[in-house]
Amino acid sequence: MTSNRAYLIRALYEWITDNGMTPYLLVNAQHPSASLPQRFVEDGRIVLNISPTAVQGLMLGNDRMSFSARFGGVASLVEFPPQAVLGIYARENNQGMIFPAEEPIDDAPTSEEDAVTGGRDGNDDNPKRTTKERPTLRVVK
């Protein structure tokens, strides 16, 4: 499955703005794919105001998040992957969500046999079952 982080960010952004509050993102500024104004980075992180009045062209995509904003009077394009987002919250009451560290997701089978067997090599707890059989449930009395 794909990461749910981008979906949660979009949902929380909508929830925060629908309640008339200001959405802030906490972003890992050290993420290799992040393009952020380094002048405003503190301790490897940056807080970004992404309210509709603060940014232009906000895109909260599954692979990339971006917008234009002014930092210290200088217009900047900000881009980062959803994996760089550490949290989203409302400035006024700090309600939102902090995200756990995300491991790369690679659950695609590597071969046709792995797709059928789920990666089993046939040496599991049931020696009678071949690698192409699906597991079944049975009642034990």
Side-chain angles (χ1 to χ4, degrees):
M1 283 182 77
T2 60
S3 171
N4 63 4
R5 187 173 300 211
Y7 298 92
L8 293 170
I9 292 168
R10 285 192 296 273
L12 288 164
Y13 172 84
E14 186 175 331
W15 174 66
I16 291 167
T17 56
D18 283 355
N19 283 283
M21 300 201 179
T22 310
Y24 276 14
L25 286 179
L26 177 62
V27 179
N28 174 4
Q30 296 175 333
H31 192 283
S33 299
S35 175
L36 303 160
Q38 294 299 311
R39 256 179 43 188
F40 300 95
V41 171
E42 292 181 20
D43 297 326
R45 300 184 293 186
I46 188 169
V47 176
L48 302 168
N49 175 351
I50 59 166
S51 68
T53 58
V55 301
Q56 294 179 350
L58 179 64
M59 298 295 293
L60 299 175
N62 291 343
D63 298 322
R64 204 94 192 118
M65 299 191 168
S66 65
F67 59 87
S68 295
R70 297 183 83 72
F71 294 90
V74 177
S76 299
L77 177 62
V78 176
E79 293 184 301
F80 49 89
Q83 294 79 12
V85 176
L86 302 172
I88 180 171
Y89 61 95
R91 178 189 72 193
E92 293 80 3
N93 62 9
N94 292 326
Q95 287 191 7
M97 181 179 284
I98 299 297
F99 299 106
E102 195 170 80
E103 297 295 324
I105 297 174
D106 184 24
D107 56 1
T110 55
S111 70
E112 185 178 326
E113 184 176 331
D114 284 349
V116 172
T117 65
R120 292 188 318 270
D121 63 1
N123 297 326
D124 58 6
D125 294 340
N126 188 351
K128 294 179 185 175
R129 187 169 64 212
T130 67
T131 57
K132 295 195 183 217
E133 281 184 46
R134 296 190 68 169
T136 58
L137 295 174
R138 61 183 174 168
V139 177
V140 177
K141 294 182 182 183

